[in-house]
């Protein structure tokens, strides 16, 4: 079974994402900020990280930069989830190491397509 870590400060987004991911047969863990997410990755590296851009404690960009430096941190597919939709933000996410990008709010079909694009659904 594939594993996904949802890193988002919104409890609602984590709940909706968990529901979608579990229906796609993922085991799911959650973190409410980048620092907590990084600690969870150090314990057990997930197959996929669903990552919020704007969070307290540590932003999504800071998280992915540090994740990619960890042993095995190059392995997870990272899908940024954000309300930022301009090309500069998308470029920044991809250059920081993101594999894909999904706009909030997203639904089951949209997330499933993004996971298929990174080879995880």
């Amino acid at each position: 079974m594939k594993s996904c870590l949802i890193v988002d400060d919104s409890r609602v987004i984590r709940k909706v994402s968990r529901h979608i991911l579990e229906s796609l047969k993922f085991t799911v863990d959650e973190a409410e900020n980048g620092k907590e997410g990084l600690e969870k990755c150090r314990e057990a590296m997930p197959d996929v990280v669903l990552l919020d851009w704007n969070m307290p404690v540590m932003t999504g960009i800071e998280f992915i930069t540090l994740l990619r430096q960890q042993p095995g941190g190059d392995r997870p597919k990272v899908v940024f989830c954000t309300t930022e939709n301009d090309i500069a933000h998308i470029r920044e996410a991809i250059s920081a190491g993101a594999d894909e990008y999904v706009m909030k709010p997203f639904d089951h079909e949209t997330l499933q397509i993004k996971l298929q694009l990174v080879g995880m659904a």
Side-chain angles (χ1 to χ4, degrees):
M1 205 176 220
K2 293 185 191 100
S3 61
C4 182
L5 174 64
I6 303 164
V7 185
D8 200 304
D9 60 319
S10 165
R11 193 173 50 81
V12 172
I13 294 291
R14 290 195 313 269
K15 183 178 180 178
V16 169
S17 301
R18 174 182 282 276
H19 177 73
I20 294 170
L21 288 158
E22 287 177 343
S23 76
L24 295 171
K25 307 290 186 240
F26 278 84
T27 58
V28 179
D29 198 2
E30 300 177 19
E32 62 183 55
N33 62 60
K35 183 176 183 288
E36 187 184 328
L38 208 52
E39 289 164 6
K40 288 183 181 261
C41 287
R42 286 180 182 134
E43 292 166 19
M45 202 58 78
D47 295 308
V48 180
V49 177
L50 214 52
L51 180 62
D52 185 22
W53 186 287
N54 296 308
M55 295 178 288
V57 185
M58 182 187 290
T59 68
I61 290 291
E62 292 167 332
F63 169 87
I64 194 168
T65 302
L66 291 170
L67 171 71
R68 293 306 192 203
Q69 295 169 4
Q70 301 299 309
D74 57 334
R75 190 174 59 83
K77 297 296 182 183
V78 177
V79 179
F80 254 107
C81 306
T82 184
T83 54
E84 308 289 349
N85 66 349
D86 60 273
I87 197 75
H89 277 94
I90 295 170
R91 252 194 224 113
E92 185 180 357
I94 300 300
S95 358
D99 297 286
E100 195 47 75
Y101 200 90
V102 66
M103 293 303 301
K104 288 179 183 175
F106 51 84
D107 59 13
H108 185 284
E109 184 182 354
T110 305
L111 186 56
Q112 186 172 8
I113 288 167
K114 294 295 182 175
L115 290 169
Q116 285 170 345
L117 288 172
V118 298
M120 284 290 157

